[in-house]
Amino acid sequence: MLTHSTRRWLAGLGVAGAFVAASASPAAAAEEAPIELGVYFSDTTLAAGSEGKIDSPILYASEPVVIEGLKIRYDYRDLDGTLEVKPDTGASECESPEPGVLVCTDPFEVGLDEWGIGGYYSVAMTPTAKAADGDAGSLTVTVSAEGIAPATHTAKVRIGEGVDLAAPGEETMVSAAPGGTFSAPLTLSNVGETDAKGAVAVFDLDYAIRTDKQYSNCTYEEGHLRTCSFSEETVAGEARSASLSYVLGKDTYAPGSEYGYYNWMTIAEFEDFSAYLKELGVSAGKPGDGPVLTLPAVPSKASARSFQADTDPMNNWSGMTVKVTGKNGVDLVAVADKVAGKAGDVVTATAGVRNDGPAALDFGRLGSPVTKIDVAVPEGTTAVKVPEVCAPLNGDQADWDQAGKPGKKLYRCYPDIFIGVDEEQTVEFGLRIDKVIANATGTVTINAKCECEGFSDDLNPANDIAKLLVNAAGGQGGGDDDGGALPITGQSTGLIAGIGALLLAAGVGGYLVAKRRRTRFVA
């Protein structure tokens, strides 16, 4: 069983894809159009006198491509004398041709796709002994490869005074039924020796966890809490705490468990993170319409225009586990099309799954799809167009090395990690009619029992198989069309993929602390 921490880390693995969806230029229709290469590197605030931070650029391409001669150049001459940039442990083929410049090359082929790739040439950024609070400059990252035009991104690097914000190490344990309310503390401790001038809490809450009220210094996205900003100065050794009221959505699956986390940032670090979100086109939400949420000082056992940076973000996380009581299940329904045509025609057939509720399914923290969709191609037809999220099925094993390969008779497709009530997630197969057969029949079968924590049997297994019909007798075909269908890469994921996942991909938590503990995003 995965730990809560592992679930949170897994939630960050798909973020590079979100970045490309928001930022990469679409592939040109003409085959001769040049491939576009892109790169992004996060703005960073470092604490003077600290060991700094490890980070790496995110690379992406306008279309899938294998490139050779990949070269990444870090130009920090604007910060020469205040910042050192060196290869992270294990990096190779890097050299410094002049002060303030680091160049890394890859002698092997590198595969890039439309989902982007991260983790190449991680570098350690360390303030020098001369660096002081208020120093600032730019770090320019340039990526080039054989036959592809270079791409450049300039990041802002600032030096600030070090503070050590912390959250309680233990998680809060509460329980509630779907539609019920509960409360959980939001606590900030300053365990360093420098007063913290304000702080921002960034929340990573499961889809089921909503807020009972809104505050003007917090932000919300479609009713989900994203951030809360506080101006209170937290002196060294002091703690502050407030109680937040939440409500479980009526569409929460029960019985089960839901999870929520928050992470503290300094004001400067949140400015860096906000720039990252803007680059992605991801909203941190809009301010609430209620009063200001205050963070009063409380007795603490904590020990002991400038910028501030946290010297140990590893202790900034805290969270809660919500035990969901009662019974609130799910009826997943197989969706299959009826199409018609003559011999030689290529017809488009839809297959997928629909959630008839009453609960939503959210497997975002598990990183697993909500179900499996097996598609048997109807007799007398050949699958000539197959979605990339589908692979030939042999027994109970899908061959993902042949994902999207046409010509097979049986495929397994995976839908999203979340499916809301009344949501339909479908794929489209291009079927060539080789021989006209009345009522040529294939099937769409969903495996509506997931071996996942928090989900048991489907409420109605009888509708987990549907017929995929070609040239059905007495009808012209064209399955249900209620306008509610979403592609399998459904847009609902963007809402529930908590901002906490983006924290990890952005490198927050990737600081080098005294014992060289590390956290790194790996694509």
Side-chain angles (χ1 to χ4, degrees), residues 14 111 130 135 179 184 186 216 372 379 389 407 464 479 506:
K130 297 180 181 179
D135 289 341
L186 175 65
S216 59
K372 302 172 184 176
E379 57 185 327
V389 293
D464 292 351

Side-chain angles (χ1 to χ4, degrees), residues 162-228:
V163 297
D164 192 359
L165 306 179
E170 67 280 356
E171 292 186 358
T172 300
M173 307 293 292
V174 297
S175 64
T181 60
F182 61 94
S183 296
L186 175 65
T187 302
L188 169 67
S189 295
N190 183 350
V191 297
E193 299 179 353
T194 303
D195 297 347
K197 303 167 185 175
V200 180
V202 180
F203 293 85
D204 177 16
L205 306 177
D206 281 353
Y207 168 80
I209 301 175
R210 324 286 167 80
T211 52
D212 194 29
K213 62 179 66 176
Q214 293 195 358
Y215 298 95
S216 59
N217 56 325
C218 299
T219 61
Y220 304 84
E221 183 71 14
E222 297 189 29
H224 293 77
L225 177 62
R226 292 308 199 200
T227 70
C228 286

Side-chain angles (χ1 to χ4, degrees), residues 77-410:
R77 288 175 293 180
D78 191 39
L79 289 151
D80 191 28
T82 61
L83 181 71
E84 290 183 352
V85 179
K86 294 182 178 181
D88 183 22
T89 303
S92 60
E93 305 292 337
C94 293
E95 62 179 1
S96 180
E98 60 179 290
V101 175
L102 179 70
V103 179
C104 298
T105 57
D106 194 329
F108 303 103
E109 291 182 341
V110 174
L112 296 180
D113 59 26
E114 68 272 23
W115 295 110
I117 191 166
Y120 274 94
Y121 308 125
S122 297
V123 291
M125 298 175 288
T126 308
T128 68
K130 297 180 181 179
D133 179 23
D135 289 341
S138 59
L139 187 156
T140 299
V141 180
T142 301
V143 178
S144 60
E146 294 179 9
I148 299 178
T152 298
H153 181 84
T154 298
K156 179 172 59 179
V157 179
R158 301 183 292 186
I159 308 297
E161 59 181 358
V163 297
D164 192 359
L165 306 179
E170 67 280 356
E171 292 186 358
T172 300
M173 307 293 292
V174 297
S175 64
T181 60
F182 61 94
S183 296
L186 175 65
T187 302
L188 169 67
S189 295
N190 183 350
V191 297
E193 299 179 353
T194 303
D195 297 347
K197 303 167 185 175
V200 180
V202 180
F203 293 85
D204 177 16
L205 306 177
D206 281 353
Y207 168 80
I209 301 175
R210 324 286 167 80
T211 52
D212 194 29
K213 62 179 66 176
Q214 293 195 358
Y215 298 95
S216 59
N217 56 325
C218 299
T219 61
Y220 304 84
E221 183 71 14
E222 297 189 29
H224 293 77
L225 177 62
R226 292 308 199 200
T227 70
C228 286
S229 300
F230 300 96
S231 59
E232 293 95 330
E233 182 171 308
T234 306
V235 302
E238 183 182 60
R240 294 180 173 275
S241 187
S243 179
L244 282 177
S245 181
Y246 299 95
V247 60
L248 280 182
K250 293 182 179 179
D251 59 351
T252 302
Y253 189 92
S257 297
E258 301 293 337
Y259 305 95
Y261 297 89
Y262 61 88
N263 177 71
W264 288 108
M265 292 184 183
T266 69
I267 300 298
E269 288 168 340
F270 184 70
E271 290 172 353
D272 297 337
F273 184 59
S274 296
Y276 174 63
L277 294 181
K278 183 178 180 180
E279 188 75 17
L280 269 65
V282 174
S283 171
K286 297 180 180 179
D289 55 6
V292 172
L293 175 65
T294 60
L295 202 62
V298 296
S300 173
K301 297 180 180 179
S303 57
R305 159 118 216 187
S306 65
F307 314 125
Q308 289 189 322
D310 201 307
T311 57
D312 185 6
M314 300 294 288
N315 61 7
N316 290 21
W317 287 94
S318 189
M320 61 184 168
T321 296
V322 184
K323 182 177 180 60
V324 185
T325 59
K327 289 189 68 68
N328 197 35
V330 149
D331 179 15
L332 296 183
V333 181
V335 175
D337 215 344
K338 291 188 293 183
V339 294
K342 59 182 183 298
D345 286 352
V346 175
V347 294
T348 299
T350 298
V353 61
R354 184 181 69 249
N355 180 8
D356 280 357
L361 284 183
D362 176 8
F363 291 161
R365 294 194 184 276
L366 295 170
S368 62
V370 294
T371 189
K372 302 172 184 176
I373 302 172
D374 293 346
V375 179
V377 176
E379 57 185 327
T381 69
T382 300
V384 295
K385 179 183 177 183
V386 178
E388 289 295 326
V389 293
C390 303
L393 187 61
N394 184 10
D396 195 44
Q397 298 297 319
D399 184 0
W400 290 104
D401 290 336
Q402 299 189 68
K405 184 174 182 178
K408 303 298 182 180
K409 299 302 292 183
L410 187 60

